[in-house]
Amino acid sequence: MITGTKKNSLGSLELDLVTNGISPKPKITSPKELLRVLKDRLVAYGLMFPALAVFVVFFYIPAAYLIYISFYHWGILSSATTYVGLKNFDILFAQPLFWHSLLTSLYYTVVMIPATVLLALAIAMLLRDGLNAKRGGLWRGAVFLPHVTPVVATSIVWVWIFNPRFGLANFILTSLHLPALGWLESQQWALPAVMIDSLWHSLGLYVIIFLAGMANVPKELLEVARLDGAKRHRVFYRIIWPLISPTTFFVVVLATVNSWQAFSQIYTMTGGPHGGAGGPAFATTTDALLVYQTAFTYLHFSLAAAMSLILFLIILTLTAMQKWISDRVVFYR
Amino acid sequence: MASVALKSVSKQYGSKLVVEEFDLEVKDGEFIVLLGPSGCGKTTTLRMIAGLESLSSGELFFGEKPVNDIPPEDRNVGMVFQNYALYPHMSVFDNLVFGLRSRRVPKAQAAKAVSKVAKLLEIEHVLTHKPRELSGGQRQRVALGRAIVREPSVFLMDEPLSNLDANLRERMRIELAQLHARLGITTFYVTHDQGEALTLSDRIVIMDQGKVRQIGTSEEVYSKPNDTFVARFIGSPGMNLWNLEWTDGPDSILAGESVQVPTLLRSAMSRIGKVVTIGVRPEHLFLSSSGTGDVVVCLDVLAIERLGSHVQLNGVLTGNPSLTVVAKLDAGVNYRRGEKICLYAKPESVYLFDPLTERRVEVFGQ
């Protein structure tokens, strides 16, 4: 691809493409032109280089290295690496905690996806219909604000909220004559507490994405549907819902990936730097948390790498499945 | 079907008045065209009738029933939008049946109604297609079909032909006229194309800056324009209008330096004042005089457009270069740029307007 600024070279290239059908290579007629084309390419690659370098150094190389060490016995302080084949995976599959962490991640994801989609969609509809008129920007800002706050900082606030003795959550529950819960100290309620924090934190982003999707639904369609006699709920599920299906698909994929990778809020809320994160009694030990602990608490890097690889394959499979489903139900204009 | 009445209807956005004191009584089955330049308030008026915009003041009636507070879904109006607004994810059949199903018409009955309309509009063979697979003309028909399938009492169209090419537009215009003759639904049609307005309408409402300038038949708005705006807006090209000071003479009256009018216009001109606005349609100017007592207009020719059937001369009044003249003359004469010529018009085809109020003053009971 030539991205140069010189009109002549681009012009002759286009002409060449047109006259010769599908010849992607420019016909170079003179050394002068060759020099110009080379210069154009240099500029193009020069512009691409910084972004490409960041990607390669911080993403592709570590990812490739991770796959590599998942088949080796590798330590951060030892220079010796031994090829062990699938032994890391064998160890993992024999570990009940590994399976438990997968189940915990699955539970977290299965609850988070519908909760995220339904709540974000509901808030987006509210912002669009009811609160859009005068102070729409203010409301949108208010909803988006939690997303730009640091997870670690706000998670500490949520730890206070969920304090079983003097926290706000239990205060509200008891005010409503409901039983107080153990929250982060209870095996049953620790993960839901983390989910509430995650929802609060991430919802703003998904609301904005849904609002953008809804803005793309032409106003006339909604008007014509009303003139056709459709009540609000029918307008929603027959017109808006199918037309924002690409957005919904995007939100589902994003929520899936984010849920499987959830780490900071769990780590901070369930013990954090003081140890014991993932508790009580491993109730909040998700796959991502176990990867971290295996690598940086117990220093089994190869095992953690193997786990990461499995996590990657799970997310890849889920996304592929979602894509397969979406190709059948999503309507792209 | 219903008669429609708008009584002192106004629409205001903030401090901006976009429709002002609109009064109109429409008979059952009448075809009304709202005509005017962009931003004149015609679409807003249509949307108020549909219920998509609220009225800032005034009253709206369908038949005897006030509908101000009735939401659009309960007004039983059919509307065709400029860009058709077909549901892109539904087949043509589903587009047509949506309104019927929304009103809980039983499935079998709805399917029957759809097939009847599809037959009427010749879209039976595309019922399973999605809108994006249709041509512009077919989309137009589907949009029409969707609006008429549930037999609305009022039919609203917002520039429905403006997205079609010229040939198709002409054809659809005739089809719309036939469709209206067949169904007899009270129709409001918004356009800025006077060709459409003149051919389709029973009556035309000419609007400008939110105000109704004139309501009348095609014939009336063409031959008896209320004011200079209507005179200039109707006709292609619009009427020549010249603000001129006049001096009386024994045989004729001289207006400006180059327009001569017969003395029988004197009384009308005296009623207006020292300065009058004289109007002559371009097609009423001729190269040769038909006799004495004609209006004479002398001009400097600036541009000549040869249009096959006729020639359009563009020029300025001799001695008044700020006043332009357009004339539609017979082809076959060799006009030259820069030439000074005099054209003639029959006195009964001359209009007089008051330059202050811009309203037309009767000359011979026009």
Side-chain angles (χ1 to χ4, degrees), chain A residues 218-235 238-239 242-243 331-333, chain B residues 47 50 52 71-74 77 79 81 83 85-90 98-99 101-103 132 146 150:
Chain A
K219 209 178 84 202
E220 291 88 1
L221 289 185
L222 307 178
E223 291 179 341
V224 96
R226 287 196 74 195
L227 290 170
D228 262 345
K231 301 284 178 206
R232 286 175 99 78
H233 63 277
R234 189 167 157 84
V235 174
R238 289 298 309 274
I239 311 291
L243 289 180
F331 172 77
Y332 290 102
R333 262 177 290 167
Chain B
R47 290 172 61 82
L52 297 172
E73 57 267 36
D74 297 329
V77 299
M79 186 157 170
F81 287 79
N83 57 5
L86 298 177
Y87 309 123
H89 55 299
M90 294 187 199
F98 182 81
R101 297 295 295 144
S102 299
R103 286 166 203 271
R132 60 162 174 247
R146 185 176 56 182
R150 51 193 173 76

Side-chain angles (χ1 to χ4, degrees), chain A:
Chain A
M1 183 68 195
I2 290 177
T3 54
T5 50
K6 295 222 168 113
K7 260 192 174 165
N8 291 352
S9 76
L10 274 178
S12 67
L13 174 61
E14 276 165 19
L15 197 70
D16 191 50
L17 284 173
V18 172
T19 47
N20 290 349
I22 43 155
S23 136
K25 278 188 180 167
K27 212 159 108 187
I28 294 154
T29 46
S30 64
K32 209 175 154 191
E33 201 163 342
L34 176 71
L35 210 71
R36 198 186 299 148
V37 169
L38 273 176
K39 208 176 123 195
D40 283 345
R41 293 229 163 130
L42 255 163
V43 170
Y45 285 117
L47 290 170
M48 275 163 66
F49 179 75
L52 200 66
V54 170
F55 256 92
V56 169
V57 172
F58 293 104
F59 183 77
Y60 291 118
I61 292 177
Y65 196 60
L66 180 133
I67 294 171
Y68 166 79
I69 60 172
S70 65
F71 295 100
Y72 282 78
H73 184 76
W74 185 89
I76 197 161
L77 296 174
S78 72
S79 56
T81 50
T82 333
Y83 178 73
V84 293
L86 294 173
K87 200 175 165 203
N88 289 326
F89 296 91
D90 287 341
I91 295 170
L92 278 182
F93 293 151
Q95 279 280 332
L97 186 58
F98 170 70
W99 294 106
H100 170 82
S101 77
L102 281 185
L103 279 179
T104 309
S105 288
L106 188 69
Y107 169 40
Y108 185 84
T109 309
V110 165
V111 175
M112 283 296 280
I113 293 172
T116 303
V117 171
L118 292 178
L119 274 173
L121 192 58
I123 295 172
M125 285 295 288
L126 266 179
L127 285 178
R128 195 189 68 100
D129 287 347
L131 311 167
N132 209 9
K134 271 200 170 163
R135 278 175 275 278
L138 198 72
W139 285 106
R140 278 195 294 274
V143 170
F144 190 65
L145 202 61
H147 187 69
V148 293
T149 57
V151 181
V152 174
T154 51
S155 292
I156 289 168
V157 177
W158 280 97
V159 169
W160 294 338
I161 290 175
F162 287 124
N163 186 296
R165 277 160 293 280
F166 47 80
L168 184 66
N170 272 351
F171 173 75
I172 293 171
L173 285 179
T174 48
S175 306
L176 296 169
H177 302 290
L178 293 168
L181 300 173
W183 292 118
L184 295 166
E185 293 174 13
S186 133
Q187 268 198 52
Q188 194 185 351
W189 291 104
L191 201 60
V194 175
M195 287 175 190
I196 292 171
D197 172 20
S198 299
L199 269 178
W200 173 82
H201 191 269
S202 61
L203 223 47
L205 175 70
Y206 300 123
V207 168
I208 296 293
I209 295 173
F210 269 123
L211 277 174
M214 285 181 197
N216 278 333
V217 177
K219 209 178 84 202
E220 291 88 1
L221 289 185
L222 307 178
E223 291 179 341
V224 96
R226 287 196 74 195
L227 290 170
D228 262 345
K231 301 284 178 206
R232 286 175 99 78
H233 63 277
R234 189 167 157 84
V235 174
F236 177 76
Y237 78 81
R238 289 298 309 274
I239 311 291
I240 298 177
W241 178 246
L243 289 180
I244 61 165
S245 54
T247 310
T248 312
F249 170 63
F250 178 65
V251 166
V252 167
V253 170
L254 211 59
T256 309
V257 174
N258 284 345
S259 298
W260 275 100
Q261 293 182 339
F263 172 77
S264 313
Q265 58 271 54
I266 304 174
Y267 182 76
T268 321
M269 285 181 80
T270 61
H274 312 298
F282 302 108
T284 55
T285 303
T286 58
D287 201 26
L289 198 76
L290 192 61
V291 169
Y292 173 82
Q293 287 175 330
T294 309
F296 299 104
T297 309
Y298 306 112
L299 302 177
H300 294 310
F301 287 95
S302 299
L303 273 183
M307 242 189 279
S308 299
L309 188 60
I310 291 166
L311 187 63
F312 165 72
L313 290 175
I314 289 171
I315 296 176
L316 189 71
T317 314
L318 283 179
T319 311
M321 270 163 60
Q322 284 164 347
K323 172 86 177 81
W324 187 84
I325 295 167
S326 89
D327 285 346
R328 275 141 195 88
V329 297
V330 172
F331 172 77
Y332 290 102
R333 262 177 290 167

